[in-house]
Amino acid sequence: LGCHFNKIPQPLLKYFRRDSLKSNLTSNKKILLFTLCVFISFIFWLLTVLAKTYTDNILLPVVYINKPGDKILTNSPPELINLNIQGTGWELITYALNFDIKPVKINLWSGKKHFTKISTKSRLYELIPQLHENVYIINIKPDTLYFQFENKQSKTVPVKVKTDLSFQNQFGLSENIKLSRDYVIVEGPVSKLE
């Protein structure tokens, strides 16, 4: 078990010497101290940046409740409302990361009739609970939601089988077509069912 030190490269031997090992530990401490200073300065920078006031857009999901039972909504109202808000970075960061965003429930029934349009600004009281107390709404898009209702109608539609089927070569029916129902009931707006 002879050890041949003359075959080990000189830089590697210097690294393992005691004096060199001490200087490497000192160098590692300097790197650790430098990294710690960079991290602390990053934290102070982040605190400073998040304390400033910013303007941002957030998207709130919308759920429409109390739709009329005898009518059908024929247009497609938006599923998202775009709020232009202002607040500090601390307050806005939760919206940027999509924390605490619950759908806004918009009631389509006023107690007497169903709405055909709703001003989103008039519904601020439903949006404000979503926001932190120091976040202000600057603008809302769309500013008005429009609803088109049509009377709902039911219609019985007979089920018919297309009997004049043609197939490509080597394809065909394995057995006769059997119907489980003679008719289906379809519901929809009057204009579509006529």
Side-chain angles (χ1 to χ4, degrees):
L1 294 178
C3 189
H4 300 285
F5 287 109
N6 56 358
K7 292 185 180 179
I8 298 175
Q10 287 298 326
L12 193 59
L13 281 176
K14 286 182 181 177
Y15 180 78
F16 286 113
R17 287 188 186 147
R18 266 193 165 195
D19 297 338
S20 181
L21 190 58
K22 281 183 182 178
S23 67
N24 283 337
L25 289 175
T26 306
S27 174
N28 288 341
K29 286 181 184 177
K30 288 179 182 177
I31 291 172
L32 183 64
L33 184 62
F34 175 76
T35 305
L36 182 65
C37 289
V38 168
F39 178 74
I40 290 171
S41 60
F42 171 75
I43 296 296
F44 280 119
W45 171 81
L46 187 65
L47 292 173
T48 305
V49 167
L50 291 178
K52 293 180 182 179
T53 301
Y54 296 97
T55 301
D56 196 11
N57 290 322
I58 61 169
L59 295 173
L60 288 179
V62 180
V63 175
Y64 300 100
I65 59 172
N66 291 328
K67 296 177 185 175
D70 61 337
K71 298 190 182 289
I72 289 185
L73 189 62
T74 57
N75 68 330
S76 299
E79 296 177 2
L80 297 170
I81 292 178
N82 186 356
L83 291 181
N84 186 284
I85 57 174
Q86 184 178 33
T88 65
W90 289 109
E91 292 152 342
L92 297 183
I93 197 164
T94 58
Y95 300 115
L97 299 174
N98 287 330
F99 295 141
D100 293 336
I101 296 183
K102 298 175 188 95
V104 176
K105 294 179 182 176
I106 295 186
N107 191 352
L108 298 178
W109 178 251
S110 69
K112 297 177 185 172
K113 64 175 187 159
H114 283 92
F115 293 106
T116 54
K117 71 177 184 176
I118 295 175
S119 169
T120 51
K121 290 183 182 178
S122 70
R123 298 299 178 121
L124 280 178
Y125 66 90
E126 294 174 0
L127 304 176
I128 289 173
Q130 294 278 352
L131 304 175
H132 296 288
E133 63 183 57
N134 293 328
V135 174
Y136 305 101
I137 298 174
I138 298 171
N139 194 10
I140 303 174
K141 288 183 184 176
D143 62 346
T144 306
L145 301 171
Y146 295 97
F147 307 98
Q148 294 174 343
F149 292 105
E150 256 190 75
N151 289 329
K152 185 191 291 188
Q153 184 178 7
S154 296
K155 186 175 182 180
T156 302
V157 179
V159 177
K160 296 181 180 178
V161 178
K162 186 177 179 182
T163 56
D164 59 335
L165 300 173
S166 61
F167 299 98
Q168 292 182 356
N169 291 338
Q170 298 182 354
F171 290 94
L173 290 175
S174 62
E175 58 184 70
N176 290 334
I177 298 173
K178 297 175 188 172
L179 294 177
S180 60
R181 294 187 177 190
D182 294 333
Y183 63 90
V184 291
I185 298 173
V186 180
E187 283 188 350
V190 173
S191 63
K192 299 288 183 185
L193 293 180
E194 292 178 348

